[in-house]
Amino acid sequence: MNQIEAQMTRLKLHGMSKTWTALKETRKTQNLTLTEGLEMMLQAEEQERDNRRFRRLKSNAGFRYKASLEELRLDKTRGLDDMVLASLSTGDYITKGESVLITGATGCGKSYLASALGHQACIQGFKAAYFNTQKLMLKTKMVRLEGTAIKFFDKLAKADLLIMDDFGLTHLEKQHQMDFMELIEDRHGKKSTIIASQLPVSSWYEVIGEETIADAILDRLVHSSYRIELKGDSLRKKM
């Protein structure tokens, strides 16, 4: 017994080890066949690894809110259609590299919805990254000064889901226009992007500033995207 437990510990089979201990404590090892016991331990190990991966993905993503799709208040009058949400919950849009554009006034739940979609993506094993857009643009400026821009942009390009929150609070500087264009170009048709903004999409031209660049960016975002315009107060359930 001790040798089996020691081997599972060395091999880092934590899920199997916990189940093995539980079976011994409840004396079920005497009532199960080898196949039944092994099946239970393998299932537990798989679940344990899935849980560890999810915790790691969620931690690395840096979501603004601890949110989940189950906690959203579904109400068509608020601009959140249950059919659209059901489609997004499958993660198929991430596999297809489609975008999600979330707009609405302050306090209507844009950031919460974006966080919930990111949370769901992590559950499904996708790698997500969450940024406040203004801070992201400052980060791109910093990595260029440090000479690590290529590495940083490659890292963002590899994220299955990139969430840019609070887009449009400030106009983009010339270099930021190019950086934003590079981010969208790297992901177009390959990786999914969620952008949340207080401004309607029609006002994004002014935020971007340069008409040619704005045309290129919006052409890549708008035509293959889900559009959600939220209304009302926060979408979080009232406790």
Side-chain angles (χ1 to χ4, degrees), residues 77-228:
T77 64
R78 301 168 67 89
L80 188 58
D81 190 291
D82 55 351
M83 293 299 293
V84 172
L85 192 62
S87 179
L88 292 174
S89 69
T90 65
D92 191 46
Y93 74 102
I94 301 177
T95 303
K96 293 179 179 179
E98 297 173 332
S99 301
V100 181
L101 310 182
I102 307 172
T103 58
T106 301
C108 67
K110 301 181 300 297
S111 299
Y112 192 86
L113 174 58
S115 296
L117 289 172
H119 182 275
Q120 180 71 10
C122 290
I123 290 176
Q124 294 165 332
F126 293 111
K127 183 179 180 181
Y130 187 103
F131 289 94
N132 169 281
T133 303
Q134 189 173 2
K135 291 181 179 179
L136 176 58
M137 293 297 99
L138 290 174
K139 179 66 175 178
T140 62
K141 186 175 183 179
M142 184 183 302
V143 296
R144 288 191 181 281
L145 293 173
E146 295 173 346
T148 58
I150 294 178
K151 181 178 180 181
F152 180 70
F153 278 90
D154 283 347
K155 181 179 179 181
L156 291 180
K158 291 176 181 177
D160 298 307
L161 176 63
L162 175 63
I163 302 174
M164 290 185 279
D165 197 5
D166 291 327
F167 174 76
L169 295 183
T170 59
H171 288 77
L172 298 181
E173 300 174 3
K174 185 64 177 179
Q175 184 58 58
H176 289 163
Q177 294 171 6
M178 300 302 295
D179 290 342
F180 193 69
M181 177 63 195
E182 184 174 344
L183 287 172
I184 300 303
E185 178 64 27
D186 286 345
R187 307 183 62 76
H188 179 56
K190 296 176 287 187
K191 302 290 185 179
S192 183
T193 305
I194 294 177
I195 299 180
S197 175
Q198 295 180 21
L199 302 175
V201 175
S202 59
S203 298
W204 290 9
Y205 275 90
E206 298 177 10
V207 174
I208 297 171
E210 171 60 45
E211 183 176 352
T212 303
I213 297 177
D215 280 334
I217 290 174
L218 293 179
D219 181 65
R220 287 160 175 75
L221 284 175
V222 173
H223 299 303
S224 60
S225 66
Y226 288 82
R227 301 278 290 275
I228 302 175

Side-chain angles (χ1 to χ4, degrees), residues 14-24 37 40-41 44-45:
H14 304 300
M16 293 185 70
S17 180
K18 291 177 183 177
T19 302
W20 172 255
T21 300
L23 290 174
K24 285 198 308 175
M40 287 183 63
M41 290 195 295
E45 181 62 31

Side-chain angles (χ1 to χ4, degrees), residues 32-46:
L32 295 173
T33 65
L34 175 61
T35 300
E36 291 171 338
L38 185 58
E39 183 178 4
M40 287 183 63
M41 290 195 295
L42 287 172
Q43 289 176 345
E45 181 62 31
E46 184 176 25

